[in-house]
Amino acid sequence: VELVLLCSPDLERLPLGGVDVLLMDEAGSDAGWLSEFEEIVPELELGPEAEAYVLYTSGSTGEPKGVRVSQGGLANYLEHAARHYFDQAITGAVVSTPLCFDATLTTLLAPLCLGRTVELIDPGEGWLERLAQRLFESDQGLLFKLTPAHLDALAADAPSEPNPVRHRLVVGGEQFGMERLLSYKRGALPAARFVNEYGPTETVVGCSVYEVDELDQQLASRAAVPIGLPIANTRLYVVGADGGLSPVGSVGELYIGGAGVALGYVNREQLNQSRFLADPYAGEGRMYRTGDRVRWLSDGVLEYVGRRDDQVKLRGYRVELGEVESALRACDGVREAVVVLREGRLAAYLVAQGEASPSRIEGYRRELGERLPEYMVPAFFVQLDSLPLTANGKVDRAALPAPDGSAVAAAEYEAPRSELETRLCEVWAEVLGLERVGIRDNFFSIGGDSILSIRVVALLKTEGISLGVQDLFRHQNIAELAAHIESGAVTGSQEVEVAPFSLLSEEEQLELAALPNNPLD
C-alpha cells in the first residue's frame, strides 16, 4: 500500500504506521489540495442499456472479439454475487485472476458493493504459493474465484490437516470435474462451499450456478458438477437441431436470454446477427447463442456436455470431445482430462492420482469401453503432472504435447515366440505405424480401430493367413489371436464380414471398398 485516502475522524482509529495518508476533509492540514479542482458534477444518465465496459475475449475461436456489456447486465450479476456469495462467515474476497479477465468482477466489485475487504494477489513469481496460503491457512472465511485448472495446481500445496473454515469457492471457466471436487471436500477443505458458475463473457461472468455444500451419493456418482440453474432475471433454453426446445435428457445447444445478454460485439455486425437473436420463447428481448451443448437432467438441473465446435468427425462418426472427456473424468483417480483430435485419432491428456503405467492406462481404456462406443475411445493416453494453462487459468490446448510412442496405451513389451506371432506383430506394427508390437498389446489400445482391423485382415490374406475382422475383435492381442488361428477355429474371410461391415460408418465402407485385396471380394 503506497497511499491511503481518509477523513480526519478515521485517522486515529486505523493502524496506519508507515503508510502515507492523504486527508480528504477540511479538518485535515493537507486538505487544501482539493481546492485546486473545480466542483463539477458531470451530467451523465446511465440507464440499464448504457455500456459498462468492453472486454476483449477470444472465446473458443481464438479471434479477439470486443464484448459490449451493459450497466443493467453488470448490475444484475453483481446483485446476484452480493446476495448469494457473501454471508456473515465471508469477511472479504481474494483476487487472484488478471484484472482484464471478467471473472475478476466476482471478487473485485461484488465485495466492494457490500463494503467487504478485497485482497489482491500479486501476479508475479510465487503467486500460486501466496494464493495457497490464503486458501489453506486463513482462519477467516473468504471468497475465491478460481478455474478448475487452478484447483489442480493448488492441490500440490494442500495440507494433510483439513482447514475447517467455511470459504466459498466460485469455480468457472471450464467444466468442473467431480474427482477434483471430491478431493477437496474429502481432504483439505471439507467445510468450504463450492459454486460451479457457468457463463460466457457475452452474458456477464456467470448466468447459471450449482452450489455444493454437503455431498450426496447422487452428486458424487456424476463425472462432473452440473452447471445448475439460472440466476435471477435469466432464461436458459436447450434448443434442438429442429429449432424446438429439447426434452429432458436430450442434448441441444444452449441459448441464454434475460438481463445479462450483452449489447453485442464491437464492429462485428455479421457476427452479432448470428449470435444475438430475438427471443421467440419469451416474446420479448434478446438471447445469446452460446455454441455450448447441454441437457436438462431428470432432477431439473443443467449439465454441460461440450462445445458445438468441439464436435469432430472421426472415420465418418460425429464425436463429442466433451462427452469423451466427461467419461474419462468419471474413471477412478482421474482429476482432469482433455481430449483432442490428432492426425485422425483421439488423444487423451489426463491428470490422475499415482504414476502413469501401461496397466493403469489400460484400465482407463477398459472403463471407457464400458461407457462409450469403440470409435470414441482414445487411441493415445498422455498422463501429465498438470495441464498447460493460459493467463486466464483455462487449459491451453495448443500447448498440449504431441503423443509419442510412450503415450500409447500398451502392455509391457513381450516378444513373439513363434513365426506366426512374429508375422502378426510385423503386420500390426506396419498398419499402426509403430516401431514394434508385443504379443500382449491390445490392438485397440495401441491405436487400432475398425477400419485398421480390416487393413490387417487384407494384409494377412496376401500371405495366406485367413481370418475375419470378427476374430480380431474377439481376440485383441497377438498371443490370443495366434492361438486362435493355430486352433483352426478362425471364421474365415468369406463368411464373417457381414456383421462387422454393417457396424462401419458410410465413410469407412467407402474406404474399405478402395482397399487392395479387399477381404470382402
Side-chain angles (χ1 to χ4, degrees):
V1 177
E2 295 184 3
L3 184 66
V4 175
L5 304 181
L6 282 179
C7 291
S8 298
D10 296 323
L11 189 57
E12 297 181 357
R13 188 169 61 88
L14 299 175
L16 295 171
V19 177
D20 291 333
V21 176
L22 187 59
L23 295 177
M24 302 288 291
D25 57 344
E26 294 182 359
S29 60
D30 53 1
W33 68 274
L34 284 173
S35 63
E36 299 176 10
F37 298 91
E38 297 183 26
E39 293 185 3
I40 298 177
V41 179
E43 296 181 2
L44 294 176
E45 293 185 7
L46 295 179
E49 293 302 312
E51 286 189 11
Y53 59 83
V54 174
L55 193 148
Y56 277 81
T57 173
S58 62
S60 60
T61 65
E63 185 177 356
K65 303 184 295 292
V67 182
R68 301 168 53 230
V69 173
S70 70
Q71 294 281 348
L74 175 60
N76 189 71
Y77 174 76
L78 291 178
E79 182 176 2
H80 160 78
R83 184 184 299 271
H84 294 280
Y85 298 163
F86 291 88
D87 52 32
Q88 295 302 316
I90 303 299
T91 61
V94 175
V95 176
S96 57
T97 47
L99 297 181
C100 60
F101 188 25
D102 69 339
T104 301
L105 296 173
T106 311
T107 47
L108 179 62
L109 296 188
L112 293 179
C113 290
L114 295 172
R116 307 289 176 92
T117 60
V118 173
E119 180 181 348
L120 302 178
I121 297 289
D122 188 332
E125 186 178 352
W127 73 272
L128 192 63
E129 289 76 9
R130 290 190 292 275
L131 177 59
Q133 187 272 332
R134 302 301 291 138
L135 181 64
F136 298 124
E137 299 179 21
S138 174
D139 58 1
Q140 293 183 321
L142 298 170
L143 175 70
F144 296 84
K145 182 68 177 282
L146 303 167
T147 67
H150 283 146
L151 290 177
D152 262 349
L154 288 164
D157 293 316
S160 56
E161 289 295 322
N163 185 343
V165 174
R166 285 180 66 78
H167 291 313
R168 184 172 272 109
L169 280 70
V170 180
V171 182
E174 292 183 313
Q175 191 172 35
F176 189 10
M178 184 58 62
E179 185 69 26
R180 185 187 293 106
L181 172 65
L182 296 178
S183 69
Y184 275 92
K185 289 293 288 182
R186 293 171 177 173
L189 299 173
R193 302 177 75 173
F194 287 80
V195 180
N196 190 25
E197 184 184 82
Y198 163 88
T201 302
E202 291 84 349
T203 58
V204 192
V205 189
C207 61
S208 179
V209 296
Y210 187 92
E211 184 162 350
V212 180
D213 189 2
E214 300 296 332
L215 293 171
D216 59 56
Q217 186 173 359
Q218 181 182 13
L219 176 64
S221 65
R222 290 174 169 155
V225 184
I227 60 176
L229 296 170
I231 68 172
N233 304 311
T234 301
R235 302 181 295 273
L236 304 180
Y237 309 115
V238 181
V239 180
D242 60 355
L245 297 179
S246 298
V248 172
S250 180
V251 175
E253 186 175 351
L254 178 61
Y255 288 65
I256 303 169
V261 178
L263 299 172
Y265 298 115
V266 176
N267 300 325
R268 301 289 294 274
E269 190 54 39
Q270 185 174 358
L271 188 59
N272 285 336
Q273 292 177 6
S274 65
R275 303 300 291 271
F276 295 94
L277 312 171
D279 187 344
Y281 307 108
E284 61 180 3
R286 300 177 309 131
M287 60 182 185
Y288 171 68
R289 182 179 186 180
T290 67
D292 289 329
R293 294 172 61 77
V294 298
R295 60 183 157 219
W296 291 111
L297 299 178
S298 58
D299 56 359
V301 299
L302 203 61
E303 178 185 58
Y304 178 85
V305 175
R307 286 287 304 167
R308 183 165 56 92
D309 44 25
D310 277 347
Q311 187 183 76
V312 300
K313 198 168 186 181
L314 181 65
R315 306 195 311 276
Y317 295 100
R318 295 195 180 277
V319 176
E320 298 276 2
L321 296 181
E323 188 173 352
V324 183
E325 291 171 353
S326 181
L328 189 51
R329 290 189 190 100
C331 294
D332 186 37
V334 175
R335 288 161 43 201
E336 185 51 77
V338 173
V339 177
V340 299
L341 185 66
R342 285 187 180 272
E343 299 180 357
R345 300 183 189 179
L346 294 180
Y349 297 83
L350 54 95
V351 176
Q353 298 174 355
E355 297 294 326
S357 67
S359 60
R360 179 183 291 273
I361 297 298
E362 180 62 23
Y364 294 147
R365 194 197 181 285
R366 283 197 300 269
E367 283 192 62
L368 289 180
E370 295 173 357
R371 297 186 175 98
L372 301 171
E374 175 271 326
Y375 64 86
M376 292 179 68
V377 178
F380 301 101
F381 291 78
V382 183
Q383 186 165 332
L384 304 173
D385 294 332
S386 61
L387 297 175
L389 304 181
T390 65
N392 291 342
K394 296 184 179 182
V395 175
D396 188 353
R397 293 171 183 260
L400 293 169
D404 54 22
S406 64
V408 178
E412 185 175 351
Y413 178 74
E414 188 173 336
R417 302 161 298 184
S418 66
E419 183 178 347
L420 177 58
E421 288 184 347
T422 299
R423 189 58 193 131
L424 290 175
C425 286
E426 291 171 348
V427 169
W428 282 24
E430 179 181 347
V431 170
L432 299 176
L434 302 174
E435 292 185 7
R436 68 177 187 180
V437 172
I439 64 173
R440 303 297 176 186
D441 292 343
N442 183 291
F443 179 75
F444 299 100
S445 296
I446 59 175
D449 54 41
S450 51
I451 195 69
L452 293 178
S453 70
I454 297 171
R455 294 185 186 278
V456 168
V457 169
L459 273 176
L460 291 175
K461 183 182 179 182
T462 64
E463 301 189 13
I465 302 175
S466 178
L467 75 157
V469 171
Q470 203 166 35
D471 295 308
L472 193 53
F473 273 78
R474 289 172 176 167
H475 307 282
Q476 297 182 8
N477 68 46
I478 296 289
E480 294 180 2
L481 185 61
H484 180 65
I485 294 172
E486 290 172 339
S487 72
V490 294
T491 46
S493 62
Q494 296 299 320
E495 60 186 70
V496 70
E497 301 302 337
V498 176
F501 189 80
S502 66
L503 295 176
L504 300 179
S505 67
E506 181 179 353
E507 190 171 299
E508 285 181 313
Q509 293 177 26
L510 292 174
E511 187 174 349
L512 172 62
L515 286 176
N517 302 310
N518 188 337
L520 292 181
D521 292 340

